[in-house]
Amino acid sequence: MAVSYGWAGKILRVNLSNGRITTEDTNKYKDYIGGMGIGYKVLFDEVPVGTHPHDANNKIVFGTGPLTGSGAPCSSRTNVTSLFPTNPKHMVADSHMGGNFAASMKYAGYDAIIVEGKARGPVWLRIEDDKVSIEDASKMWGQGIYNTTALVASEMGKEASIAAIGQAGENLVNLSVIMNGYSHSAGGHGSILGAKKLKAIGIIGTGSLKIAGKAKDLLDTNSYMLKELIGANNNHVVPSTPQPWAEFDSKGSRWTAQKGLYWGAAEPPVETGEIPPGDITTVGLRTQKGVKDLGPVAEKYTKRMGGCQSCPIRCFSQLEIPQLEKFGVSRFVSNTCMGYSAPNGVMIKGTVDQFEKDDGTFISKTLGSQLADDYGVWCNYGMLGREFKYIYESGKLKEVLSEEEYNSIPFELLEAGDPAFLKDFYRRITFKEGEFSHLGDGTYWIAQRWDLGDDFWHGKAQKIWSPLGYPVHHSNESGAQVGALISCMFNRDSQSHTHQNLIQSGLPADILREVSAEIWGSEEAFDFPAKYTPMNEYKAKFAKWSIIRNVLHDSLTVCNWMWPMMVSPVKARNYRGDTALESKYMSLVTGENYTEESLDLAAERVFTLHRALTVKQMGTLDMRNEHDVIMDWVYDMDPEMEPFTEGTVKMEREDMQTALTMFYEEMGWDKKTGAPTKDTLNRLGLDFAARELESMNLLP
Amino acid sequence: MEEKSKKKFLERETTRREFLKLTGKGFGGAVISMSILSMLGCESQQTVAYALPSGLLLADASRCTGCQRCEISCTSIHDEKIQPFISRIKVSENYNFGNEGPRLDYYRQNGQFGNLSMSPETCKQCREPYCGRACPAGAIFADPKQGNARVVDTSKCVGCGACEEACPWHLPTIDPETKKSTKCEACGFCAENCPTGALRMIPWEDVKKAMRRNGYRFS
C-alpha cells in the first residue's frame, strides 16, 4: 500500500446490526479534507431524508483530518457528525471533542470511524491498530462515563483513549454527550450511541502519522507558531493586567498569567507570572482558566491547567476541592467555560456561600460539572438552565407536572441556594424520571410538549436565537451582523469562534480594524464594540471567512477556539498573525501544494454541502424564511434605543435581510431563498448534490 | 496481538512490582527514594563498563499538564514521524490512569480520571543500564557524541525487546514499524519544547541534589 502522508489513509466502518467491520480508502473524501467534510459527505450520501436520529438507518461519523495528530498545535479535535436529536427536523449537525481521542484514531490508522446500524444488546468497540472487535458491554451499561472509561481501560490497557456515553445517552436523552478524557465532550450526540447500544469506543494506536516534508521544517513551523503567533486561550494576545513587557492589556483577556497568580494547589505552587511571548516553555502558563471561569476563590484549589493532545494552550482548569466529597462526588474536577457555567445556570436563585466566603457559585459550577459529565448530560449551550428558570418562574412547571411529582422536587434547596439541588436535577433528567425530565428533550421539543408561547421563544432572558431551538453563541453581541449571520447558518448553536477570537483578542479596535482591512478589504468589516453600523459587503466577507475557516478547522482538524492566527502577541510583528499557516502545515504534512485559497475553497465546498444537505432535509428552498430566522428579542431589545446607536447590540429587521442577501451573494447562493444554486454546486464539484436536489425540485 | 499485548502487560506489572519490593517502597507518585537511586547505581563509585553520562532528563510532575508535545517533539526529531507510542518520554500512556493503570479506586490514583496528576516517565540514564546489559546484540552503548547517554545503535539492534523488558520503567520501546528499539538519548529537545517548563536537562552528577528539590519526581 502506498504511504499516506497526513491522512492515515483508511476509514473504519462498523455495522452494529450485522457485526460487519470493514475499511475503505480515505482518498474518495480528500476533496472534503477530513473531519466535518467526511461527516457531511457520508450523511448526504447514505442517510435517507426523514430518518429519525435514533433509527438504525442513522449513521454517526467520528472524523479527523490530515493535521490531526500531526503535532501541529491544537490538533486533536474529533468532529462528530450525525442527525441532531434536538433539532426539530433532525437535521445534520456536528459536535466536537478535544482530548486524546482524535490523535489516537490517527495513530491507530483511521481518518474516520463510521458507525451504522444498531446492536441487539449493549456493546463497546475495541480498536487496537488494525484489530477491531465489537465487545459485550453489559457490565458497563448503566454506569457513568468515569466508571465506563475505567472498565474499558481495564480490558484494553491503561494507554487506551476512550470515548463513552453515560446513562443520559443510554436513556436516549436528547441533551447528552459523548466524552473522552474526563471532560472533553461532544454535546448533543450521546443518544445516537445510546440508540445504537454502543457504550464506548476504546482505541490504542501504536502507529505513526507520516509527514511528507522534512520533520525539521515541521518543527520550525511549530516553533514559529509558538514563538511568534499564538496567544492565550481563544488566541487572546494581550495580558489581562498591565505588564512591563506588554504595550496593551485588556481586562477580559484569557491571558490571565500575572505576577502573584498561581496554580495554587500544585506542589509546590506554580506561579503563572509575567511572561512575554517568544519563549515556548511558558506558553502553557498564559491561561489560568480556573480563576477566569470560577473566580478568585479557585486559585488555591487549582492543581494545574489541562487540555488536549498537542495543544500548548491549556484551557481546562484542573482542581482539587475536598469539600465536593460532601456531595458524594470526586474532589477532582476538570472543565472549562460552559462546562462550569451551565450547571450554575440551573441554580436560578443563586448559591449561598458553602464552606468559605464567596464560594457559592464556585461550588455549584464544580459540583454540577462533575454530575453532568459523569451522567453525560449536555446543556444545549446553557439553554437547560434558562429553560428551567422560565418554566419554574412562569408557573408552567406547576401546570404540566402532577402535584405529586412537583412536590417531590426539592425546590426548597433551590430557593435556599443549596447546590445539593443539582444532584436531584441532573438525576431526574438522566434517568427520565417523570414529566420534569423532558427538560432533557431540548428547546423546541419542550416548547411543543408544554405549549410554550411567544414570550418563551422571543423573550430576551431565554436567549433563544433560532426557531430551530438553539441559543445565542457569539451572535449579534459579537460583531453585529457578522455574528448574527454566522449564528443563522447551522442546525444547532454556531460553533464558529473565528470572529469571536478576533473581536476579543484584546488589541485596540483600531488595530483590529486595520487587520480586518487587510483580510476582508475594508476596516468597515469591523464595528467597534456596541457601536454598530448598518450592513456592508465587508461584514458579509468577514462572516463568510469566519465560517469557512471554522469549517476548515473542523475538517483539518485543528481547534477553532485557537485558530486561525489572525493576530499575534508580538509587537515587532505589529501584532499581525499569519492566516496562511494552515496551508503551510498542510503542504508540509501532506506533500501536496496547498494555498490559503485552495484550502478556503475546499472548506467552502464542505460548508455548501452542509447547506445543500440542510435544503434536502428541510425539503424547502426557502432558507431565508424557514431556516435563517432570528427571534424577535434580537430586534426588540433596548426599546428606548435605535439600532446602530452606541451602547446597544440590537439588530434591525430590514438591515438583517440585507445582511442575508449580501451573505448569500458572497456564497454564490440564490439571493432570494439562500439555497445553493446549480452553478455554485457545480463550481465546487458538488455536481452529485445538484443532481439530487434537482430531482427533488430543490434547486432555485 | 491481543494475547501478546496482554502478556506484555502482565509481565510489565510483575517486573515493576518485583523491583519495588526490593526497595521496600511503594511508588504511587512519591518522589523516588535514595535507596532506589542506589539500586540504579547512581550512588556507586565502582568502575563500570559504561562511561558516566553527562546529562539527565527530569520531569516535574507538578508542572506537567499532559499536552504530550514532548512525545510529538521527540518522535519528530528522532524518527521523522509522529508516533507517541515510541516516544522516549512517556506521558500519553499514563494520561488517564497513571503508570499503574486503572484500579478499583482509580478516582484517587494518578491520572486524569484520578487525582489529575500526570505521570511523565523519563529515562534515568542509569550508571549500569539494565537495558544495555540485557541487550543480546550489544546495541546499547554510551555514546560520547551524546554526552555518554545510553543510546541504541540501530544497525546492531535486532528488535527483540529485551531492553524494554529489563528496564524497571520499560522505557525503551520497539517501534512496530521499524522493529528497532527507541530510547532516550538525553538530547533535551523535548524539554526545549515543553510549554510549561516541566522538563529539564540537568547535569547527571546533580541528580540527587535535583531530587531533593521540591516537586521534582521521577514519577
Side-chain angles (χ1 to χ4, degrees):
Chain A
M1 202 175 92
V3 176
S4 184
Y5 297 108
W7 287 277
K10 282 194 312 261
I11 289 173
L12 179 67
R13 189 183 286 267
V14 178
N15 185 314
L16 294 172
S17 294
N18 59 23
R20 275 195 71 199
I21 295 168
T22 51
T23 59
E24 50 208 80
D25 198 325
T26 306
N27 263 319
K28 69 172 174 179
Y29 295 105
K30 262 183 153 175
D31 288 345
Y32 305 89
I33 307 173
M36 179 184 267
I38 297 175
Y40 293 159
K41 185 74 168 83
V42 169
L43 268 279
F44 192 98
D45 289 348
E46 302 183 20
V47 178
V49 169
T51 302
H52 189 279
H54 298 156
D55 280 355
N57 280 340
N58 184 23
K59 305 193 179 191
I60 185 165
V61 184
F62 295 81
T64 74
L67 293 187
T68 314
S70 69
C74 329
S75 63
S76 183
R77 297 279 294 171
T78 310
N79 187 94
V80 182
T81 308
S82 191
L83 300 179
F84 209 62
T86 56
N87 181 287
K89 290 185 188 286
H90 297 141
M91 292 182 281
V92 67
D94 307 278
S95 56
H96 318 87
M97 57 185 181
N100 295 346
F101 191 81
S104 296
M105 276 176 64
K106 292 293 291 291
Y107 305 137
Y110 305 104
D111 295 303
I113 303 169
I114 303 169
V115 182
E116 53 193 33
K118 192 181 258 197
R120 277 190 294 275
V123 295
W124 64 281
L125 184 63
R126 176 177 192 145
I127 302 172
E128 287 158 325
D129 296 330
D130 50 6
K131 188 161 177 285
V132 181
S133 56
I134 299 168
E135 308 276 338
D136 177 20
S138 43
K139 272 192 289 188
M140 297 162 195
W141 204 255
Q143 297 282 340
I145 288 175
Y146 303 158
N147 277 348
T148 301
T149 306
L151 285 166
V152 172
S154 67
E155 298 269 337
M156 290 188 76
K158 63 176 180 174
E159 59 267 69
S161 280
I162 296 152
I165 56 168
Q167 299 95 336
E170 287 177 13
N171 294 329
L172 308 186
V173 175
N174 286 350
L175 296 189
S176 56
V177 307
I178 303 165
M179 187 180 293
N180 83 99
Y182 203 61
S183 51
H184 297 278
S185 62
H189 278 138
S191 66
I192 310 295
L193 292 195
K196 295 190 179 306
K197 294 261 189 278
L198 180 60
K199 181 67 174 167
I201 303 176
I203 303 184
I204 294 178
T206 69
S208 66
L209 182 139
K210 294 170 188 66
I211 46 180
K214 293 251 170 288
K216 167 87 170 50
D217 294 337
L218 185 67
L219 291 167
D220 286 348
T221 309
N222 290 344
S223 181
Y224 162 59
M225 179 171 172
L226 296 187
K227 284 183 176 167
E228 296 192 36
L229 299 174
I230 207 166
N233 179 219
N234 287 184
N235 218 31
H236 292 175
V237 294
V238 309
S240 63
T241 54
Q243 298 185 10
W245 64 270
E247 184 179 15
F248 305 113
D249 58 86
S250 170
K251 207 164 171 270
S253 171
R254 295 185 179 187
W255 188 316
T256 47
Q258 54 192 276
K259 224 177 211 167
L261 180 69
Y262 287 83
W263 303 351
E267 294 172 16
V270 172
E271 187 176 21
T272 55
E274 287 175 346
I275 38 176
D279 177 4
I280 291 176
T281 66
T282 56
V283 173
L285 298 173
R286 288 176 188 170
T287 303
Q288 213 290 20
K289 199 71 190 321
V291 295
K292 183 79 190 162
D293 287 337
L294 302 165
V297 69
E299 183 182 2
K300 64 175 178 285
Y301 298 104
T302 303
K303 281 194 81 164
R304 60 175 173 88
M305 293 297 117
C308 309
Q309 194 259 15
S310 80
C311 186
I313 303 299
R314 314 308 283 157
C315 71
F316 277 63
S317 58
Q318 319 278 322
L319 301 98
E320 177 173 5
I321 311 162
Q323 302 91 304
L324 286 184
E325 289 181 349
K326 298 194 169 139
F327 297 95
V329 300
S330 168
R331 58 167 65 193
F332 300 104
V333 185
S334 159
N335 224 315
T336 192
C337 301
M338 193 52 87
Y340 287 130
S341 53
N344 188 53
V346 173
M347 295 298 294
I348 57 178
K349 302 291 179 182
T351 311
V352 298
D353 288 354
Q354 295 296 303
F355 305 97
E356 62 193 293
K357 195 171 175 310
D358 297 331
D359 74 343
T361 59
F362 171 70
I363 294 294
S364 279
K365 285 177 173 182
T366 51
L367 169 64
S369 153
Q370 291 282 71
L371 293 165
D373 279 3
D374 196 28
Y375 285 143
V377 174
W378 186 48
C379 67
N380 195 9
Y381 198 68
M383 277 309 299
L384 184 56
R386 293 193 293 271
E387 284 156 358
F388 171 55
K389 184 176 164 71
Y390 178 86
I391 55 167
Y392 182 67
E393 292 185 342
S394 66
K396 196 75 190 179
L397 198 55
K398 214 163 207 169
E399 209 178 287
V400 298
L401 262 54
S402 70
E403 196 181 338
E404 187 191 0
E405 185 182 353
Y406 192 90
N407 290 335
S408 74
I409 300 172
F411 291 119
E412 69 282 2
L413 295 176
L414 180 75
E415 291 291 338
D418 183 339
F421 178 75
L422 294 170
K423 294 179 66 175
D424 188 88
F425 180 88
Y426 283 108
R427 194 203 66 238
R428 284 173 198 264
I429 287 173
T430 300
F431 295 97
K432 288 200 161 168
E433 291 175 17
E435 185 67 23
F436 183 80
S437 72
H438 285 284
L439 271 173
D441 295 354
T443 306
Y444 172 82
W445 301 108
I446 61 164
Q448 294 295 305
R449 185 175 186 90
W450 294 334
D451 196 21
L452 307 181
D454 281 354
D455 59 334
F456 171 71
W457 281 103
H458 296 288
K460 189 183 172 197
Q462 281 72 255
K463 294 191 181 178
I464 301 169
W465 182 261
S466 157
L468 301 177
Y470 63 78
V472 161
H473 193 162
H474 309 317
S475 312
N476 59 310
E477 83 290 2
S478 181
Q481 298 92 342
V482 176
L485 283 167
I486 291 167
S487 274
C488 289
M489 292 301 143
F490 292 90
N491 298 324
R492 58 167 294 181
D493 64 301
S494 161
Q495 302 289 290
S496 177
H497 234 261
T498 316
H499 62 306
Q500 176 75 356
N501 291 357
L502 184 74
I503 292 164
Q504 299 294 326
S505 66
L507 289 169
D510 289 336
I511 293 180
L512 297 178
R513 283 167 65 88
E514 286 168 21
V515 169
S516 300
E518 287 156 19
I519 304 179
W520 304 297
S522 165
E523 59 186 27
E524 287 175 31
F526 190 100
D527 278 347
F528 290 102
K531 208 173 159 187
Y532 290 172
T533 61
M535 185 60 190
N536 63 58
E537 63 173 302
Y538 304 103
K539 293 188 188 184
K541 289 182 198 297
F542 184 1
K544 175 185 172 183
W545 196 88
S546 296
I547 291 180
I548 292 301
R549 285 297 167 114
N550 169 212
V551 167
L552 175 64
H553 298 153
D554 283 330
S555 301
L556 285 173
T557 57
V558 296
C559 181
N560 186 237
W561 275 254
M562 286 303 301
W563 289 78
M565 296 289 113
M566 292 173 281
V567 289
S568 147
V570 178
K571 189 180 179 192
R573 290 183 64 91
N574 201 14
Y575 304 107
R576 296 307 195 265
D578 182 350
T579 56
L581 194 61
E582 293 94 331
S583 60
K584 289 174 186 168
Y585 270 112
M586 272 295 279
S587 300
L588 264 168
V589 168
T590 67
E592 294 165 37
N593 185 27
Y594 284 96
T595 61
E596 203 168 348
E597 292 72 29
S598 68
L599 281 183
D600 285 348
L601 184 69
E604 191 172 342
R605 177 179 304 124
V606 173
F607 179 48
T608 299
L609 180 58
H610 173 275
R611 188 69 163 187
L613 182 50
T614 300
V615 168
K616 179 179 153 182
Q617 291 178 329
M618 288 188 83
T620 174
L621 281 175
D622 195 2
M623 293 291 101
R624 184 188 290 267
N625 294 305
E626 305 271 330
H627 186 281
D628 306 337
V629 180
I630 304 172
M631 295 293 107
D632 286 345
W633 66 271
V634 180
Y635 302 114
D636 298 338
M637 66 166 82
D638 301 335
E640 72 289 355
M641 297 177 86
E642 288 298 314
F644 314 124
T645 55
E646 192 167 355
T648 183
V649 297
K650 81 193 291 186
M651 298 282 101
E652 203 267 322
R653 283 184 173 80
E654 260 183 59
D655 177 77
M656 203 57 222
Q657 292 305 317
T658 307
L660 285 170
T661 305
M662 285 182 172
F663 183 82
Y664 298 159
E665 281 179 317
E666 284 296 326
M667 292 304 306
W669 297 347
D670 178 45
K671 266 199 311 193
K672 182 163 166 268
T673 61
T677 62
K678 188 173 183 176
D679 283 352
T680 291
L681 290 166
N682 289 340
R683 173 177 68 85
L684 293 169
L686 299 169
D687 318 48
F688 67 94
R691 281 194 300 275
E692 184 157 349
L693 291 177
E694 192 160 37
S695 75
M696 299 170 78
N697 211 16
L698 289 173
L699 276 185
Chain B
M1 171 185 163
E2 186 191 0
E3 279 314 303
K4 199 180 142 205
S5 75
K6 211 182 265 174
K7 188 162 164 273
K8 210 166 95 182
F9 233 80
L10 288 171
E11 281 169 2
R12 273 187 192 181
E13 295 311 313
T14 316
T15 326
R16 186 194 299 280
R17 282 198 198 96
E18 297 276 306
F19 180 76
L20 295 177
K21 211 158 45 182
L22 282 173
T23 70
K25 298 268 176 188
F27 232 46
V31 171
I32 194 167
S33 73
M34 288 305 131
S35 58
I36 296 180
L37 283 177
S38 306
M39 274 208 52
L40 292 172
C42 300
E43 197 106 64
S44 157
Q45 293 301 316
Q46 74 205 55
T47 315
V48 291
Y50 285 79
L52 277 178
S54 61
L56 178 72
L57 177 68
L58 270 190
D60 179 353
S62 66
R63 293 178 84 94
C64 176
T65 65
C67 74
Q68 304 151 57
R69 288 209 66 79
C70 50
E71 298 185 340
I72 290 161
S73 302
C74 174
T75 60
S76 302
I77 194 106
H78 291 292
D79 309 289
E80 289 277 323
K81 54 185 181 177
I82 323 294
Q83 191 176 4
F85 179 73
I86 60 164
S87 170
R88 292 136 187 93
I89 172 169
K90 307 291 188 194
V91 173
S92 55
E93 66 176 35
N94 302 329
Y95 183 89
N96 280 341
F97 296 102
N99 40 27
E100 296 288 322
R103 307 204 301 209
L104 273 179
D105 60 345
Y106 68 87
Y107 50 88
R108 272 183 234 179
Q109 303 298 325
N110 284 344
Q112 189 67 32
F113 281 79
N115 63 18
L116 304 171
S117 289
M118 292 290 105
S119 305
E121 290 191 299
T122 56
C123 175
K124 283 73 182 166
Q125 304 294 344
C126 305
R127 176 186 285 267
E128 276 296 295
Y130 288 75
C131 56
R133 280 179 173 173
C135 177
I140 297 179
F141 68 108
D143 185 353
K145 283 184 282 188
Q146 289 290 338
N148 286 327
R150 286 68 176 101
V151 167
V152 178
D153 178 346
T154 50
S155 68
K156 289 186 183 168
C157 174
V158 294
C160 67
C163 51
E164 183 179 355
E165 293 305 322
C167 171
W169 293 272
H170 307 291
L171 286 169
T173 308
I174 307 299
D175 181 346
E177 293 176 354
T178 64
K179 315 289 182 211
K180 300 288 182 187
S181 175
T182 58
K183 83 163 284 300
C184 179
E185 301 177 5
C187 73
F189 191 69
C190 56
E192 290 166 27
N193 285 282
C194 172
T196 51
L199 297 170
R200 220 164 279 186
M201 288 300 299
I202 58 153
W204 191 85
E205 287 81 4
D206 280 349
V207 61
K208 282 201 291 182
K209 201 168 136 198
M211 296 310 298
R212 288 200 187 95
R213 286 163 58 187
N214 255 340
Y216 274 83
R217 302 166 185 197
F218 270 135
S219 64

